Amino acid sequence: MSDNRYGAAQGGYGAQTTSAIGGGKPAVAGFGAAPAAPAGDLVKDTTTASFAVDVVQESRRQPVLVDFWAPWCGPCKQLTPIIEKAVKAAGGAVKLVKMNIDDHPSIAGQLGVRSIPAVFAFVDGQPVDGFMGALPESEVKAFIERLTKGRGGDPIAEALEEAKGLLAAKDLGGAAELFGAILQHEPGHQGASAGLAECYIAAGDTERARALVDALPEAPGEDAALSAVRTKLKLAAEIAHLGDPVALQARIEGDPDDHQARFDLALIAQAKGERDAAAGHLLEIIRRDRAFDDDGARRKLLEFFEVWGPMDPATREARRRLSSLLFA
């Protein structure tokens, strides 16, 4: 595969791919596609006991946003009226469920919530997207539009999904062309930038991926795929300085409480794509010594979850095991 097939992030892509997205900026999809629902049915509070019904089951009917908040959180108070307004404006295409983490901390802990407000989008019973921080109204509306894009026919979103499919099928050239066409049409698009960076990483060009990602400012509510690429590049830089895995394993056999050796083995396993082994090393550290490196094993495991994605079997199994360690 020639390098020019997935060239510069902002140029070098053919008109054929660009035209598939559309000749001009696509109109913002309206919220009116779904039947209107009473405003009182669209926003509610939930508990740990009712989470499965209010969120998991309900998300099989339409997307459900879960807002993790606390009474003492100032940004939460800023976000609440904004997100409630946007959900009501969507007219039943999406619902909002709010969870007070002071009263109900376990679900937030299992999902790896590290700061609030944190919003997770559930579709078909699973978390598929999210953001943290009090976003302005325009960004909250855009998030909901992306979540309900199937109802509105957004050509950018459709092209992005097609490009993701090509990337998953290892068609790096085709995926990069389509991600690049999106960037020509909408420079700085976070999802397309993340996808193109993934193409570079898969082709072994991490420096090009890093340059592309570093050119985009980090901000609250960043696209989950872009955050995952940032984390992947960070992990790649970390493992470049690790030692010999055979020697590290020998250290553990000599001293099962050599947590640093176990931690380094987890990073090496992650680099090799051995996700279950990587999670297993970190979970063993958590089981033996939660205080190691200021809870560093759990924090690193949450970074892995971000890279793997919420739907990956390794993420789901490791979350289950982590929850049993933390809340048993």
Side-chain angles (χ1 to χ4, degrees), residues 51 66-70 76 99 101 107-108 111 113 116-120:
F51 186 87
V66 184
D67 178 15
F68 294 99
W69 68 284
C76 297
M99 175 167 273
I101 66 168
I107 300 295
L111 290 172
V113 173
I116 56 173
V119 176
F120 281 71

Side-chain angles (χ1 to χ4, degrees), residues 25-260:
K25 289 278 185 181
V28 175
F31 283 126
D41 294 339
L42 299 177
V43 180
K44 68 183 299 184
D45 293 302
T46 193
T47 65
T48 303
S50 60
F51 186 87
V53 173
D54 293 341
V55 177
V56 177
Q57 291 185 20
E58 190 63 26
S59 71
R60 302 186 190 283
R61 301 183 180 91
Q62 77 285 298
V64 175
L65 303 183
V66 184
D67 178 15
F68 294 99
W69 68 284
W72 45 263
C73 170
C76 297
K77 297 175 183 178
Q78 298 174 21
L79 179 64
T80 293
I82 292 173
I83 195 169
E84 288 186 359
K85 178 182 177 182
V87 166
K88 291 173 183 176
V94 64
K95 290 188 175 182
L96 174 65
V97 173
K98 298 185 290 184
M99 175 167 273
N100 181 340
I101 66 168
D102 280 356
D103 296 335
H104 305 283
S106 63
I107 300 295
Q110 291 174 35
L111 290 172
V113 173
R114 289 175 281 184
S115 64
I116 56 173
V119 176
F120 281 71
F122 278 72
V123 174
D124 293 330
Q126 298 290 338
V128 297
D129 204 349
F131 64 85
M132 293 185 181
L135 301 186
E137 182 176 353
S138 61
E139 293 187 33
V140 173
K141 289 182 65 176
F143 178 81
I144 293 175
E145 288 167 4
R146 292 197 303 270
L147 189 64
T148 59
K149 59 184 177 292
R151 303 167 185 261
D154 182 349
I156 288 280
E158 292 171 2
L160 187 62
E161 289 305 309
E162 182 180 350
K164 289 179 179 178
L166 292 172
L167 179 58
K170 309 299 183 183
D171 183 356
L172 300 185
E177 285 182 0
L178 198 46
F179 285 130
I182 296 171
L183 288 169
Q184 282 188 328
H185 187 77
E186 190 174 316
H189 189 288
Q190 292 190 355
S193 297
L196 188 57
E198 290 281 13
C199 292
Y200 293 150
I201 292 171
D205 195 346
T206 56
E207 290 307 311
R208 205 170 191 177
R210 195 182 310 279
L212 173 60
V213 170
D214 287 348
L216 300 174
E218 293 189 57
E222 182 173 82
D223 184 274
L226 184 57
S227 295
V229 171
R230 290 190 195 278
T231 303
K232 183 177 292 187
L233 291 169
K234 175 177 177 288
L235 294 173
E238 289 178 351
I239 63 172
H241 305 290
L242 298 178
D244 176 19
V246 175
L248 292 171
Q249 184 63 44
R251 282 170 53 183
I252 294 174
E253 292 172 359
D255 178 7
D257 288 328
D258 187 341
H259 302 317
Q260 187 60 56

